[in-house]
Amino acid sequence: MSTVTDRTVSTPTPTTRTGVKRSRLLGSRSSVLVLNAISIIGGIGLWWVLALNGFQLPTPPEVLEKGIALAQQGILVEDIAASLGRVLSGFLLGSALAIPVGFLMGWYTIGRGLLEPWIQFFRTIPPLALLPLVLVLLGIGEIPKIFVIFLAAFLACVISTYQGVVSVDRTMLNAARVLGAKDGTIFARVVVPASTPFILVGMRVGLGSSWATLVASELLGAQRGIGARMQAAQIYYDLATIFVGIVLIGIFGLVMDRLLLLAESKLTGWQERR
Amino acid sequence: MSDTTTDRRGATASPKISVRDVKKTFTLKNEEFVALGGVDLDIADNEFVTVVGPSGCGKSTLMNILAGLDEPTAGEALVDGVAVDGPGPERGVIFQQYALFPWLTVRQNVEFGLKTAKVPRAERRERADYFIRMVGLEQFADALPKMLSGGMKQRCAIARAYAVNPSILLMDEPFGALDALTRVKLQEQLLDTWSQEKRTVMFITHDVDEAVFLANRVVVMAARPGRIFDVIDVNLPYPRTEDVRLSPEFGELRNRVWHSVYHQSTATAGSSDHRTASSSPTT
Ligand SMILES: Nc1ncnc2c1ncn2[C@@H]1O[C@H](COP(=O)(O)OP(=O)(O)OP(=O)(O)O)[C@@H](O)[C@H]1O
Ligand SMILES: [Mg+2]
C-alpha cells in the first residue's frame, strides 16, 4: 500500500503519510541510512567524474574551497542572513494569516463562499508570475520579495488548513456536541486539534514553495541573498559560486523541512499508525 | 401483522422517552427516501430497550433523532415530556466508531464532558477516575486512544458517556466491531453498571443474542419504510448470568426475535410493503 497511497493521494491524508514513513523507518533504519550514505557518496563521485571529463562543472573540492573563501570574506553569512530573513518573514506571515483564513473558510459557509473563488484563482498562478506586477506596484526593495514569498506560503497553507477543517470526522463533532460542547468549544477543542496535521502538512508545502520563490525573486534585482549572489556569479561565469549557492539552498531547505517534520511528530503523535 | 407501529404495551404512566409518529425522509437527487415511516415507541424510566433490524431500517436515524443530532421530518421525540431540541447532557451517546478524541488521553477524554459543564478541576478528576476504574481502564488513564484495543476504546467511550451522568444512554451498535469474547464481557459489564446506576438505555445491535441478553424489551424494526415491526418482552431475571443465557427460555425468545428479524417478508405477507421489504438490498 505504501507507495501507492504516497503517490496517488493528492490531498494530504497526514495519518497515512506519516504512518507509512514511520513504518518504513522502523523496518530497517540502519540499512536505509547505509543506502543513503552510499547514494550520496556515489552521487558526489559521479559529479566529480563528470567534472574531470570535459563537462563544464567545478569539482567538489573547488566548490568547497569557494565556499570557505566566501565565508571568510563574510559574504556568505550576509547572503544567508538576507535570504533567511526574507523567507522566514514571508513564510511566517503567510502561515499566520493562512491558518485563520483556512478556518474561516472551513467553518463558515459565508467565509467559504466569499474567499474560495479568490484562493482557487490565485492558487493556479505561480507567485513568481505576479512578481513583475508586484515590482511595479511595490518598488524593488525588500517588500515585494517578502510579499511574493508570503503569497506562496499563504496559498499552500490556506488550502491545507481548509481541507483539514472540512474533513474533521462528523462523528467526532457529534461526540463533542452530545457531551454538551457548543460551537466555540467544538472549534477550539475539536476542530483545531483535528486539523493540526493538515496545517502542518500545509506549512511544509508552504515552506518549500517559499524557498523556491525566494531564490527566484532574488534573481531579480537584489543586493544580497543567495539568489543574488548566484545571479552576480552568472555574469562572471563563476560556476563554483553558483554551486555554493545551490548546495546552500538545498541544505537550508532540508534543515527547515526537517524542523517542521520534528514539530509535526511532536504535535501529531496522537495519530493512529495504520 | 399489520404495518401499524404502535407500541403494543401501550404508554406507561410517564415514559422517559416517547417517540410520536416520527417520520424521516431524506431527499436524494430529487428522490424522496423514507428512512422512518411513522415510528411510535415509549420507553419507561430505567428500562433497557434493545433495537434490532436489518441494515438500513433506520435504527441509527431513530437514535440520532433522540440524541438531537438530527430532526424528524414529522412527528416528535419527547424526553421527559419535553420535545428534543438539540443534544443535551442528560442523553449520553455511544457511537459505533468509538469517536474518542485521539489527541486526548483516556482521562482527558472522560473529562471532556465535565469540562464543558465547567465542573471544577478536582471534582472532574475524581469523577473521571471513578468511571475509568468502573470500566477497568485505570492502568491506561494516561494513554492515548491509539494505544488501546478496540474493546478498551469502547470502554473508554462508555466511561466518557457515563461521566456526565446522563439519565439516558443511547448506544448505536457499540460492540459491533468487537470479538465475541470481549463482547460478552462488555455486555455483562454494561448490565452490571446499569444495575448499579439505573439509567434508561436504548441499545442498537445487529446481534439477536445480544439484544435478548441485555433487554427488558426488544424492538424489532423493518426496512422500507423504516418502522417498528415487533416488540418482544424479555421476562428474564436480572442479573443475567451465563445460566440465563443458556436457559431454554432465553433460547425461545432468541428464536422469536430471530424469526422476527430474518423472516420479515414471510411474516408481512399480505401487507402492502411486502415486495419492497424483501427485494433489493438497502444501502
Ligand atoms: N444523511 C442521509 N442522507 C440520505 N440518506 C440517509 C442519510 N442517513 C441515512 N440515510 C438512509 O436512511 C436509511 C436508514 O439509515 P440508518 O443509518 O438509520 O440505518 P440503520 O438501521 O442504522 O442501518 P445499519 O444497521 O446498517 O447501521 C438508509 O437506507 C440510509 O441510506
Ligand atoms: Mg446504524
Side-chain angles (χ1 to χ4, degrees):
Chain A
M1 79 163 240
S2 50
T3 30
V4 178
T5 37
D6 251 11
R7 296 274 155 71
T8 54
V9 175
S10 53
T11 48
T13 45
T15 323
T16 24
R17 285 178 65 127
T18 43
V20 166
K21 230 165 245 160
R22 283 201 193 101
S23 60
R24 270 201 207 128
L25 281 183
L26 281 182
S28 49
R29 189 168 196 135
S30 52
S31 66
V32 167
L33 283 178
V34 170
L35 286 173
N36 284 349
I38 292 172
S39 168
I40 292 169
I41 292 168
I44 293 175
L46 185 67
W47 165 19
W48 206 329
V49 170
L50 289 178
L52 293 176
N53 286 286
F55 283 86
Q56 292 185 326
L57 297 173
T59 59
E62 280 166 16
V63 172
L64 195 65
E65 246 166 62
K66 189 70 184 181
I68 291 169
L70 286 172
Q72 280 166 350
Q73 292 161 32
I75 295 173
L76 211 55
V77 176
E78 252 175 40
D79 285 339
I80 291 171
S83 288
L84 279 182
R86 282 172 199 137
V87 96
L88 287 180
S89 35
F91 169 71
L92 290 177
L93 286 173
S95 304
L97 186 68
I99 292 167
V101 169
F103 278 127
L104 221 61
M105 283 172 63
W107 199 237
Y108 296 105
T109 326
I110 302 178
R112 189 178 321 166
L114 292 178
L115 294 169
E116 193 164 15
W118 294 100
I119 306 267
Q120 294 296 356
F121 177 71
F122 278 102
R123 197 162 78 115
T124 60
I125 305 174
L128 276 179
L130 296 172
L131 201 58
L133 175 69
V134 172
L135 284 176
V136 169
L137 293 179
L138 296 174
I140 52 159
E142 284 299 296
I143 293 176
K145 294 184 189 65
I146 292 177
F147 183 78
V148 287
I149 293 164
F150 157 85
L151 216 56
F154 173 79
L155 289 171
C157 193
V158 77
I159 299 283
S160 189
T161 306
Y162 162 69
Q163 270 168 355
V165 176
V166 294
S167 63
V168 175
D169 187 1
R170 281 217 73 79
T171 347
M172 207 101 85
L173 297 177
N174 282 341
R177 285 178 70 201
V178 299
L179 288 167
K182 298 281 174 275
D183 269 12
T185 318
I186 292 176
F187 184 78
R189 293 180 49 205
V190 180
V191 176
V192 172
S195 28
T196 311
F198 285 82
I199 296 174
L200 287 169
V201 167
M203 284 174 76
R204 276 183 70 200
V205 175
L207 188 62
S209 180
S210 304
W211 200 225
T213 307
L214 161 89
V215 176
S217 79
E218 282 180 348
L219 292 177
L220 292 169
Q223 305 293 322
R224 300 191 202 303
I226 302 173
R229 185 67 46 214
M230 289 161 75
Q231 168 76 5
Q234 183 199 336
I235 296 167
Y236 301 105
Y237 214 76
D238 179 2
L239 275 176
T241 301
I242 292 178
F243 265 70
V244 171
I246 290 171
V247 171
L248 280 179
I249 290 165
I251 289 173
F252 276 103
L254 202 65
V255 167
M256 289 195 281
D257 189 62
R258 283 302 127 122
L259 285 177
L260 268 183
L261 205 60
L262 195 73
E264 199 178 313
S265 71
K266 281 269 174 332
L267 288 172
T268 64
W270 46 262
Q271 290 187 96
E272 297 258 6
R273 296 165 191 182
R274 284 192 208 114
Chain B
M1 187 164 299
S2 77
D3 60 357
T4 44
T5 50
T6 336
D7 167 13
R8 250 145 260 278
R9 294 203 340 171
T12 11
S14 63
K16 183 77 182 168
I17 296 173
S18 176
V19 178
R20 298 254 166 277
D21 198 25
V22 160
K23 295 194 174 72
K24 179 77 187 176
T25 50
F26 292 106
T27 319
L28 294 165
K29 291 183 185 152
N30 48 42
E31 202 187 317
E32 292 247 301
F33 180 85
V34 183
L36 291 176
V39 171
D40 282 281
L41 177 68
D42 279 340
I43 301 179
D45 201 10
N46 294 340
E47 196 180 6
F48 200 126
V49 166
T50 52
V51 178
V52 276
S55 185
C57 70
K59 303 182 294 291
S60 301
T61 306
L62 180 62
M63 197 202 75
N64 283 340
I65 288 171
L66 284 172
L69 295 171
D70 216 340
E71 283 175 6
T73 315
E76 56 180 353
L78 307 170
V79 167
D80 288 324
V82 182
V84 168
D85 180 22
E90 81 286 356
R91 279 162 287 141
V93 181
I94 294 166
F95 300 90
Q96 174 165 21
Q97 312 88 329
Y98 319 127
L100 296 177
F101 304 115
W103 52 90
L104 299 179
T105 63
V106 166
R107 180 181 284 115
Q108 289 166 332
N109 263 287
V110 176
E111 284 185 2
F112 189 97
L114 301 170
K115 229 167 152 180
T116 56
K118 303 214 163 54
V119 174
R121 176 186 286 267
E123 192 189 335
R124 209 160 70 205
R125 171 91 189 216
E126 194 182 321
R127 265 166 73 180
D129 281 347
Y130 172 81
F131 287 103
I132 290 169
R133 264 199 309 281
M134 183 185 87
V135 297
L137 282 181
E138 57 273 28
Q139 285 178 34
F140 294 87
D142 295 308
L144 288 169
K146 69 171 181 182
M147 297 158 82
L148 306 181
S149 70
M152 289 156 82
K153 280 183 187 143
Q154 199 51 276
R155 270 142 64 193
C156 178
I158 291 172
R160 185 176 69 176
Y162 268 86
V164 283
N165 199 23
S167 58
I168 295 172
L169 278 177
L170 305 169
M171 308 175 83
D172 192 354
E173 301 191 34
F175 305 153
L178 305 178
D179 65 283
L181 198 66
T182 315
R183 202 171 170 133
V184 167
K185 266 194 188 145
L186 285 188
Q187 286 167 3
E188 285 169 359
Q189 212 172 36
L190 178 66
L191 282 186
D192 241 28
T193 32
W194 175 71
S195 44
Q196 281 166 38
E197 312 207 2
K198 281 279 184 190
R199 280 178 172 89
T200 310
V201 184
M202 185 175 117
F203 185 107
I204 297 173
T205 176
H206 263 121
D207 185 322
V208 171
D209 274 66
E210 181 168 84
V212 174
F213 183 73
L214 294 172
N216 291 124
R217 206 147 53 105
V218 180
V219 172
V220 180
M221 289 182 71
R224 308 213 161 203
R227 63 196 188 278
I228 292 180
F229 183 80
D230 200 0
V231 179
I232 295 162
D233 288 302
V234 181
N235 290 314
L236 298 172
Y238 290 97
R240 302 258 165 104
T241 53
E242 205 169 10
D243 290 342
V244 173
R245 209 191 271 275
L246 299 173
S247 70
E249 293 85 352
F250 182 90
E252 225 164 82
L253 283 162
R254 192 186 155 283
N255 290 350
R256 263 191 72 192
V257 175
W258 182 277
H259 192 81
S260 197
V261 174
Y262 292 96
H263 300 284
Q264 291 183 343
S265 49
T266 49
T268 43
S271 96
S272 57
D273 49 34
H274 160 52
R275 207 168 36 83
T276 40
S278 57
S279 64
S280 74
T282 51
T283 40

